[in-house]
Amino acid sequence: MAVDTARRGDRDPSDWALGGVIFAASVMVLIGLFQLGAGLVAILDDGFYVVAPPYTYDVDITAWGWIHLIIGIIVFLGGLALFSRTPWAGILAIFLALLSAFANFFFIPYYPFWALVIIALDVWVIWSITRPGALVWEE
């Protein structure tokens, strides 16, 4: 797929943009591992998380464990794919970061600080990927 060089200019991507994608890929791998760990804890030890008073989106802790485990594995694999700096990996990574942030938003009553940290990291990943010149759009 060719890129319109008049629109993009004849400049090479900046080192900041390239470093941002490597950073985003590394953070996605880390987020995946964090999610996987949180999921395993919820599956193996129901008593670890303090259940908040009745919450609008009340879901069983074990169900949250499976949700986080599955999201963790997928985000981990998406982070590995992002190291290729291809457009499909960037689009997948943005979608997975949105999914992770969405799931953690609903997990806030169970583990507030942790959920907010993961949401912040997801937003940082999206920001890093969407920088101009971050991904290779030519084949």
Side-chain angles (χ1 to χ4, degrees):
M1 176 169 144
V3 174
D4 182 13
T5 55
R7 186 186 79 208
R8 191 183 97 193
D10 291 331
R11 299 175 295 156
D12 288 330
S14 72
D15 290 339
W16 283 98
L18 299 177
V21 173
I22 300 300
F23 174 79
S26 302
V27 170
M28 278 191 71
V29 168
L30 194 60
I31 290 170
L33 292 173
F34 286 163
Q35 296 269 42
L36 194 133
L40 284 176
V41 167
I43 292 168
L44 299 175
D45 183 12
D46 274 352
F48 180 79
Y49 295 109
V50 176
V51 179
Y55 178 56
T56 305
Y57 306 104
D58 189 21
V59 178
D60 181 58
I61 295 295
T62 304
W64 274 119
W66 284 106
I67 290 168
H68 283 293
L69 182 73
I70 292 167
I71 289 174
I73 292 168
I74 294 171
V75 169
F76 177 81
L77 295 174
L80 292 179
L82 188 57
F83 280 111
S84 68
R85 288 190 46 237
T86 57
W88 69 266
I91 292 167
L92 176 68
I94 290 170
F95 173 76
L96 293 176
L98 287 169
L99 178 67
S100 173
F102 186 73
N104 277 284
F105 173 78
F106 291 108
F107 196 62
I108 289 173
Y110 300 97
Y111 211 28
F113 182 73
W114 184 262
L116 292 173
V117 166
I118 298 297
I119 291 170
L121 289 173
D122 287 326
V123 170
W124 192 276
V125 165
I126 294 168
W127 181 85
S128 296
I129 295 169
T130 56
R131 299 297 84 215
L135 299 174
V136 177
W137 291 94
E138 296 180 22
E139 293 183 8

